[in-house]
Amino acid sequence: MSLRDAAPAGARQGDRRQGSHRDAWHGPATQGGAFDWPRTFAARGADRLRAAHLRHRPQEARSGALHCFLLDCSASMRNDGNLARAKGLLLALTHEAYQRRDHVALLCFAGDTVELRLPPRRASAWNDDWIAPIAAGGGTPLALGVRRADQLLAKSETRQRWLWLLTDGRSSEHPARPASADVACVVDFEVARLPLHRARRLAEDWEARYLPAAGTA
């Protein structure tokens, strides 16, 4: 599975939305950062300072993307052997993020808590040291995990914010799609003989990309 291949149609809506509002309100003269006074005075010359003379320092470009992984670490993920498969997928996706110079973050939810296992940072070449120790057990606080992911993404300064939910869907909770996610992907690890299809329904309601774990190798 590829990070970019997982993007659904309209994935860049967030970028367009931000750009359109900013351009319409501020106009081209304030697109830069702080004033560049040496260039401003050079443009003014001997004239009285006017708005047309103002020059701005270019803003630093935001990094390409933040991939926030929200990992279900409940007992069902452990008992069905899906946690090991999820770790393998995490390793593959974080390695690709490293090649693309993107940022990654990891939230794990189980029992009644959500743990920020990896704060947002530039993806590194070697990730097994923080992925391998992840353990599982307890219930599935899905709504709490989604809320924490939304809060994390809302603080991001990256150009595009991705949410990856890795779960077997063994939760009765059905949270709304995080407003801060420009792209959402639901990776379904359900392997029950009588599947509940909750992860699939969540992806449909979120208008997210649905990815059965069996097809992610």
Side-chain angles (χ1 to χ4, degrees):
M1 180 204 305
S2 168
L3 295 175
R4 299 303 182 191
D5 291 345
R12 299 187 181 275
Q13 180 178 0
D15 288 344
R16 292 196 298 270
R17 181 178 62 249
Q18 292 173 354
S20 61
H21 287 317
R22 185 169 55 246
D23 296 348
W25 178 254
H26 293 292
T30 58
Q31 293 298 310
F35 289 127
D36 186 332
W37 288 113
R39 292 178 58 229
T40 295
F41 292 143
R44 184 196 67 176
D47 296 337
R48 183 185 298 273
L49 182 64
R50 300 193 306 271
H53 298 138
L54 295 175
R55 300 293 185 267
H56 296 81
R57 298 174 184 169
Q59 291 179 325
E60 293 183 2
R62 293 184 297 171
S63 57
L66 167 63
H67 297 274
C68 176
F69 300 103
L70 182 57
L71 177 61
D72 183 351
C73 293
S74 62
S76 61
M77 286 285 287
R78 176 193 62 198
N79 297 340
D80 291 333
N82 284 322
L83 185 61
R85 299 172 64 197
K87 289 180 181 182
L89 179 58
L90 273 175
L91 282 171
L93 293 176
T94 53
H95 182 70
E96 184 175 349
Y98 163 73
Q99 293 177 324
R100 295 180 179 276
R101 299 183 179 180
D102 286 343
H103 287 69
V104 295
L106 175 64
L107 289 163
C108 297
F109 63 98
D112 58 358
T113 62
V114 179
E115 178 186 1
L116 179 59
R117 186 61 68 96
L118 182 72
R121 72 179 192 187
R122 182 68 65 87
S124 60
W126 178 256
N127 301 288
D128 190 67
D129 55 342
W130 58 267
I131 292 179
I134 297 173
T140 313
L142 176 60
L144 179 60
V146 170
R147 185 162 64 250
R148 294 288 175 80
D150 192 16
Q151 294 169 351
L152 184 150
L153 290 170
K155 298 177 181 178
S156 172
E157 295 296 329
T158 53
R159 187 177 302 277
Q160 191 176 69
R161 298 164 296 186
W162 290 61
L163 174 63
W164 295 78
L165 173 59
L166 286 68
T167 181
D168 59 4
R170 311 303 286 186
S171 172
S172 59
E173 298 176 342
H174 195 86
R177 172 178 172 143
S180 300
D182 298 317
V183 184
C185 305
V186 178
V187 185
D188 187 0
F189 285 85
E190 186 174 36
V191 294
R193 290 186 178 181
L194 297 176
L196 300 176
H197 300 299
R198 289 172 177 168
R200 179 187 290 273
R201 289 199 296 270
L202 188 67
E204 292 173 352
D205 290 347
W206 284 7
E207 297 183 348
R209 180 70 181 270
Y210 174 76
L211 301 163
T216 60

